[in-house]
Amino acid sequence: PDRDHLVACLPKCELHIHIEGSLEPEMVFALARRNHIRLPWDSVEALRRAYAFGSLQDFLDVYYVGMSVLVTEHDFYDLALAYLRRAHADNVVHVEMFFDPQGHTSRGIAFDTVVNGLSRACTQAREELGIRASLIMCVLRHLDEADAQRTLDAALAHRDRIVGVGLDSSEKGNPPEKFARVFARARDAGFSLFAHAGEEGPPDYVWQALDVLGVARVDHGNRALEDDVLVARLARDRVPLTVCPLSNLRLRVVDDLRHHPLRHMMEKGLAVTVNSDDPAYFGGYVNDNFSAVARALDLSASDIVALARSSFTAAMMTDAERAAAL
Ligand code: ADE
Ligand code: ZN
């Protein structure tokens, strides 16, 4: 009530959103019809029933089929614009948007089609709504290094429209070091670097994200709490963690939001932010994530303000941009 009102009013940045994870079931069916694509579900309700996930992999299996309805530049534009309007309604003023090019190029969609559609939506949303949005290309870690290198080659042709490179998909068995050379090249090209780590994978994967890849932020990072030395390192260097409470609940990273580690992370001096991850699949956009975790952990108004403020500190913004956005 009061808490939800505060959450709604605060300006925020969203730093962990997979644009393909904002594809709502209704849009999945609308685009399937538009593009004459057959789906393994016969209704919106049947698709929603498939959203009972036991693990990250259960989710990814549905996520990659869901995104197969995205074919034309117009589809990517519609997807991103719908998300940016929704984020704007949540008082999000700055978005760093992940996208998964290999989820599309593997189906024969051109890299350009994806980037053109997404970036056109970002430009339009900035002009019409004032919301700032940039693109971070993620490497699918379940695929091999050569595929990642080819994807980076394609990104280099769009260096002006992509600000960073991230790492996502099936974490277990796919350590960050698998992509050491890809990230070294991305760094040389001037991209900011990010990686999902410690969502399901061990603390060692968070160490690798920091020390082998050299990331500026860790996405999730929950399991870092199992290693006190790692926690001290993250706190000392103020490495932001982009935490996603409803995702963690729906993917069984936590069994109950009341057991979510967000409060412990804050108490240990970690630079935590609250984000939605894949809002269409996990039951809520960024304000829903703030409200749900604040209620479950009984966070105070000043905790909520600190989390919203932290999203600006963790964002890839200059001080001047930060001042202008606030
Ligand atoms: N791709 C989309 N959402 C993801 C998540 N939470 N973890 C890993 N890969 C993802
Ligand atoms: Zn994610």
Side-chain angles (χ1 to χ4, degrees), residues 18 56 59-60 63 168-169 196 199 220 247 251 277-278:
H18 301 265
L56 172 58
F59 155 68
L60 291 169
Y63 170 78
D168 68 357
S169 195
H196 284 54
E199 181 183 18
H220 296 292
S247 166
L251 300 185
D277 205 6
D278 301 283

Side-chain angles (χ1 to χ4, degrees), residues 16-18 20-21 56 59-60 63-64 67 98 100 138 140-141 167-171 196 199 219-220 244 247-248 251 277-278 282:
H16 187 160
I17 161 77
H18 301 265
E20 296 91 343
L56 172 58
F59 155 68
L60 291 169
Y63 170 78
Y64 293 119
M67 72 171 74
F98 292 138
D100 285 331
C138 283
L140 297 183
R141 70 203 302 161
L167 182 66
D168 68 357
S169 195
S170 318
E171 188 180 9
H196 284 54
E199 181 183 18
D219 297 308
H220 296 292
C244 307
S247 166
N248 292 162
L251 300 185
D277 205 6
D278 301 283
F282 301 149

